Amino acid sequence: MIVGLGISALCAFGALIALVGVVAMALPGRPQPWPLHLMRRGAGLTAAAAASIYTLGLFAVLTSEHEFSNGADSVPAPACREGFDPGVVQHLSHHRSSYLPLRFDCVLDDGTVYSSDPAYAWMNWMALLLALSGALLVIGAGYVTELHARKHARCRQGR
């Protein structure tokens, strides 16, 4: 889990650096064409933030899997036992984990499924929304570049 926190912190630090680059676009002396640079820097920011959130959740799932497969008192999975009613815990059958989307679900003997941690839902949604935002910014930057190239081509033909 420490490695996961370190990697997530590194991605968050990258997002912070990208945020400084985005904010710098509001200052005088910004590079031209500034919309293109703003979109590229915004894409970097959203990518780093998405990676940070996803990495944090990924290592949470990996930690839950590791706790299940190692040591005494590892069955049922500790993530499925912590904070839940003992009556529910005694009916645990198994667990299911997934890395895309992030989840560590606990399955009862009657087939009922519950999440071991509701934080996986917001991590999945935030990582998805940030990744999609980054993709849209990259597409937008490509569009701005194409418009800029067409404008210069028309200017050269008009001379």
Side-chain angles (χ1 to χ4, degrees):
M1 184 67 176
I2 298 297
V3 172
L5 287 174
I7 293 172
S8 181
L10 187 62
C11 292
F13 184 68
L16 184 62
I17 290 171
L19 178 62
V20 169
V22 168
V23 171
M25 295 305 298
L27 302 174
R30 61 183 173 236
Q32 296 296 327
W34 70 267
L36 177 63
H37 291 282
L38 181 62
M39 284 190 251
R40 287 181 180 165
R41 290 177 183 186
L45 171 62
T46 58
S52 178
I53 291 170
Y54 181 79
T55 302
L56 189 63
L58 174 68
F59 277 91
V61 172
L62 288 171
T63 299
S64 294
E65 279 290 335
H66 178 73
E67 287 175 348
F68 169 73
S69 61
N70 287 320
D73 195 35
S74 62
V75 176
C80 293
R81 290 181 288 162
E82 297 168 357
F84 293 102
D85 180 33
V88 172
V89 172
Q90 78 183 142
H91 293 287
L92 283 171
S93 158
H94 61 283
H95 72 274
R96 292 186 294 212
S97 59
S98 172
Y99 302 110
L100 195 60
L102 296 169
R103 71 173 193 232
F104 192 86
D105 293 335
C106 307
V107 182
L108 301 178
D109 51 15
D110 66 355
T112 307
V113 177
Y114 65 92
S115 178
S116 65
D117 189 352
Y120 292 126
W122 77 261
M123 288 179 188
N124 284 321
W125 282 109
M126 283 305 296
L128 176 66
L129 290 174
L130 287 166
L132 288 175
S133 297
L136 288 173
L137 286 167
V138 166
I139 292 168
Y143 182 71
V144 168
T145 302
E146 182 67 26
L147 286 177
H148 190 67
R150 286 183 185 181
K151 179 181 173 183
H152 283 293
R154 277 190 240 133
C155 287
R156 288 182 191 151
Q157 290 175 352
R159 288 186 181 175

